[in-house]
Amino acid sequence: MKHEVEIAVKPKEIKDNDLIVRMACDKAGITIDTIDDWEINKQSIDARGRQIVYRLKITLYIGEERQLPVSIKEAFSVHAKSKTALIIGAGPAGYFAALQLLKQGIRPILLERGKDVQARRRDLKAIQQDARVNPHSNYCFGEGGAGTYSDGKLYTRSHKRGNIQEILEILVEHGAKTDILKDAHPHIGSNKLPGIIANLRKTIEEYGGEIHFDAFVTDFMISNNNLEGVIDAQGKQYKADATILATGHSARDIFRLLDEKQIEIEAKPFAIGVRIEHPQSEIDHIQYRQRQREENLPASSYRVVTQVDDVGVFSFCMCPGGLIVPAATAPGEIVVNGMSLSRRDSPYANSGFVTAIDNSTINQLGYRGKLANLQFQEAVEQAMFQNGDGSQQAPALRMTDFTQSRLSSDLNASSYIPGLYPAPLYDILPQVISDRLSRGMEAIGRKMKGFYTREANVVGVESRTSSPVRIPRDPQTLMHPLHGLFPCGEGAGYAGGILSAAMDGQRVADAVAVYYSA
Ligand SMILES: Cc1cc2nc3c(=O)[nH]c(=O)nc-3n(C[C@H](O)[C@H](O)[C@H](O)COP(=O)(O)OP(=O)(O)OC[C@H]3O[C@@H](n4cnc5c(N)ncnc54)[C@H](O)[C@@H]3O)c2cc1C
């Protein structure tokens, strides 16, 4: 028998398991010696009242044990003669597609343009410290994809609970802390993610999958509207009846290749803006009413949204206690994004602050065709690269100067290692965007006192929020009109984050299994 109860504990009590189980038993009206097992299923922070509390959902087991997750490996059924499928891209969509193919008895062959997670670190250091951007190995490209050196937030707006739980359990099986199974806002941290990704790779290889690094796919082999395989930059050919294309939102060369080969794609609206960085203590003051956080309270976060001229302006990928990082994928551009370590203990809080831009606005700005949105995105990123010294220094302003189109005489301290310099961001961004962002910042500041402040920097540009291109697929078969091509993940326009990309990978792998069984 199971008893489900909800209790609230103070932050200083959250690590006291004896107290928590006693409180849960009291609430359920049972004595502690009658229970066989117990677990916290959900944990969230409630900062609305005078006393901040953790709200816990607890299951007490009487006369039965809790069921432990089954290892994903028990479901693998691949043997030497299994059919193979190609996967291009080793991001969350690619790796979870590979695991799901193994479950379906299909051997995945993964091609990744970048390096393994360990080797990738050196290229991230080169961007941060020497402004050298390797177009194949950076914050977006390489094993684990864009999610690896990120914040590792694991939330999604999707409500497919079963799949979410399965993905979280697979991550735990590969080294993530069990906390992610119960936290309302699970988070891994960029210091822990690489180890987990490496363990996923070992599982895929151990059960018959192949993973090729430095395999930059540059061409498709097509015959009679059938995709028969792909060719990499070294001219090596890889063939299979199905190819899962999971190359992410930054693979501009792949979008250009698709367009060149007249493989159907569409311009997709996306969101663009800046990254805002506050002192973490300011956000804690707003959210917890404490500048010095009490014991066991994590760095606080926010999610804000407002409407300006009926268009949404919203925060995106907030990183409490995090760092702003240079996320360019080619030399000559400036792109910023956010990440954090598992402890989220930097003195800064950053988040994307963006607004949607639709196809017609982009057309009015002079960009046309299926690659219009990509070209617009690229042009804005290149316009940000104007410091003249070739560095990855990013243009920035104090928030109150940004909204008043005024150049800041100096900037606040920042976590961004390559450095910031004052620049007229309000002019570098298209006016329609900077106007909307400015009014959005002021509007949020009226609702959330302390948000709109000269103590915050506004940094350009947050442009890789989602893909500027959609690669169409049939809603049932998930196949593109080009036979054998299965567009997948964020780059194809079907995901927006680590979890949703992983779920799309699983879904597409199942679709490949159906295609093979027909
Ligand atoms: C700095 C940063 C922080 C982020 N923080 C979070 C977060 O906290 N939580 C969250 O949910 N999301 C976060 N995101 C977004 C998240 O990482 C993406 O949504 C997710 O990784 C998309 O998964 P994907 O597999 O579809 O594509 P990607 O992760 O982009 O993977 C695509 C892969 O394809 C490879 N590739 C591209 N072109 C080729 C080619 N021609 N040949 C071979 N391989 C190729 C790339 O190298 C890459 O490894 C963050 C992103 C960044 C950049």
Side-chain angles (χ1 to χ4, degrees):
M1 193 174 47
K2 281 192 242 175
H3 277 279
E4 312 272 348
V5 290
E6 285 188 37
I7 60 167
V9 298
K10 294 179 186 154
K12 66 172 186 223
E13 297 166 341
I14 189 64
K15 293 188 178 159
D16 188 342
N17 280 345
D18 292 342
L19 173 77
I20 290 172
V21 69
R22 259 190 283 118
M23 285 172 76
C25 287
D26 283 352
K27 184 84 183 274
I30 52 182
T31 52
I32 197 160
D33 48 354
T34 55
I35 65 164
D36 293 287
D37 206 349
W38 69 283
E39 67 179 328
I40 300 173
N41 295 319
K42 269 279 156 276
Q43 174 172 311
S44 59
I45 293 171
D46 185 348
R48 288 169 300 180
R50 184 181 286 253
Q51 169 67 57
I52 299 176
V53 289
Y54 275 92
R55 295 205 177 277
L56 307 178
K57 286 190 182 165
I58 294 176
T59 305
L60 303 168
Y61 296 86
I62 300 173
E64 64 176 285
E65 299 277 315
R66 81 175 110 148
Q67 283 198 334
L68 294 173
V70 182
S71 165
I72 183 184
K73 297 173 187 170
E74 288 185 18
F76 292 162
S77 62
V78 173
H79 48 82
K81 286 194 181 147
S82 288
K83 266 200 160 264
T84 58
L86 297 176
I87 302 174
I88 321 300
Y95 266 11
F96 277 82
L99 293 168
Q100 192 72 9
L101 284 179
L102 289 171
K103 266 179 150 180
Q104 294 284 5
I106 300 167
R107 212 160 60 78
I109 301 177
L110 259 139
L111 308 179
E112 166 57 52
R113 73 193 292 165
K115 303 176 185 172
D116 68 73
V117 269
Q118 237 9 71
R120 200 177 157 187
R121 275 181 199 276
R122 280 193 289 278
D123 298 307
L124 301 186
K125 203 168 160 205
I127 303 176
Q128 293 273 20
Q129 295 182 353
D130 313 323
R132 267 188 289 121
V133 182
N134 178 336
H136 302 296
S137 180
N138 47 56
Y139 273 97
C140 293
F141 295 158
E143 186 182 22
T148 311
Y149 292 94
S150 74
D151 190 41
K153 278 181 288 295
L154 298 171
Y155 358 124
T156 166
R157 293 200 184 104
S158 165
H159 295 293
K160 298 202 167 106
R161 255 331 316 165
N163 300 52
I164 294 171
Q165 188 67 14
E166 187 192 348
I167 286 165
L168 296 177
E169 283 171 6
I170 292 172
L171 291 171
V172 168
E173 187 178 346
H174 290 85
K177 278 188 171 175
T178 52
D179 288 5
I180 64 169
L181 300 173
K182 64 181 183 203
D183 282 342
H185 293 112
H187 154 254
I188 293 185
S190 62
N191 50 331
K192 307 276 179 192
L193 274 161
I196 297 167
I197 303 282
N199 290 339
L200 288 172
R201 181 212 316 147
K202 281 183 207 140
T203 297
I204 294 168
E205 288 179 332
E206 191 185 334
Y207 287 85
E210 282 175 31
I211 301 174
H212 301 262
F213 294 112
D214 295 311
F216 174 36
V217 171
T218 51
D219 208 354
F220 299 125
M221 289 184 278
I222 301 170
S223 165
N224 298 326
N225 197 41
N226 255 315
L227 181 60
E228 297 187 332
V230 299
I231 306 175
D232 76 10
Q234 269 92 49
K236 192 164 174 202
Q237 299 189 351
Y238 300 85
K239 288 193 168 187
D241 292 335
T243 297
I244 298 177
L245 188 66
T247 41
H249 59 26
S250 292
R252 290 182 175 152
D253 23 39
I254 283 288
F255 296 135
R256 291 199 160 105
L257 177 67
L258 292 166
D259 192 46
E260 229 171 76
K261 300 229 149 204
Q262 299 186 338
I263 298 169
E264 213 176 308
I265 54 171
E266 299 157 10
K268 183 184 134 308
F270 65 106
I272 188 163
V274 291
R275 206 149 259 268
I276 290 180
E277 186 167 67
H278 289 85
Q280 181 62 49
S281 58
E282 191 59 45
I283 302 301
D284 290 341
H285 184 61
I286 298 170
Q287 303 295 56
Y288 294 154
R289 299 168 302 283
Q290 302 177 358
R291 280 196 197 277
Q292 200 65 43
R293 289 194 305 275
E294 66 181 284
E295 193 189 346
N296 297 336
L297 269 187
S300 61
S301 64
Y302 60 82
R303 186 177 229 171
V304 291
V305 61
T306 189
Q307 296 283 315
V308 176
D309 298 336
D310 294 328
V311 184
V313 180
F314 53 96
S315 62
F316 175 82
C317 181
M318 201 261 151
C319 300
L323 312 166
I324 299 183
V325 294
T329 47
E333 60 189 30
I334 299 284
V335 182
V336 288
N337 212 309
M339 68 167 229
S340 68
L341 304 178
S342 58
R343 291 162 64 115
R344 284 185 161 165
D345 55 1
S346 102
Y348 302 101
N350 71 73
S351 87
F353 193 79
V354 297
T355 183
I357 183 149
D358 59 19
N359 294 355
S360 66
T361 310
I362 293 176
N363 295 158
Q364 281 161 23
L365 291 168
Y367 301 89
R368 296 274 140 71
K370 294 175 179 173
L371 295 179
N373 298 7
L374 181 157
Q375 286 160 355
F376 161 73
Q377 184 191 49
E378 193 171 44
V380 176
E381 293 169 359
Q382 288 170 354
M384 296 284 155
F385 186 78
Q386 54 167 240
N387 197 18
D389 62 358
S391 76
Q392 279 288 311
Q393 274 199 17
L397 289 171
R398 287 179 184 257
M399 192 192 280
T400 43
D401 291 333
F402 177 75
T403 58
Q404 285 159 45
S405 303
R406 193 172 56 202
L407 200 61
S408 306
S409 52
D410 62 353
L411 297 167
N412 299 296
S414 170
S415 65
Y416 184 70
I417 293 173
L420 305 177
Y421 68 99
L425 262 181
Y426 41 81
D427 281 340
I428 311 176
L429 284 166
Q431 200 177 348
V432 55
I433 302 295
S434 34
D435 280 357
R436 242 190 262 149
L437 295 178
S438 294
R439 287 159 65 196
M441 286 169 200
E442 288 168 343
I444 305 265
R446 285 191 288 276
K447 290 192 273 190
M448 193 175 158
K449 294 277 175 259
F451 179 85
Y452 178 66
T453 167
R454 73 185 302 274
E455 307 308 321
N457 285 331
V458 165
V459 184
V461 62
E462 173 87 26
S463 48
R464 307 283 177 98
T465 50
S466 72
S467 183
V469 170
R470 181 183 303 281
I471 312 177
R473 67 187 188 193
D474 180 273
Q476 246 76 52
T477 63
L478 306 191
M479 195 162 64
H480 187 271
L482 172 64
H483 253 72
L485 173 63
F486 289 82
C488 180
E490 186 160 34
Y494 302 100
I498 297 170
L499 269 187
S500 59
M503 283 195 280
D504 198 55
Q506 291 184 324
R507 208 176 309 135
V508 170
D510 287 342
V512 169
V514 172
Y515 178 60
Y516 277 178
S517 65

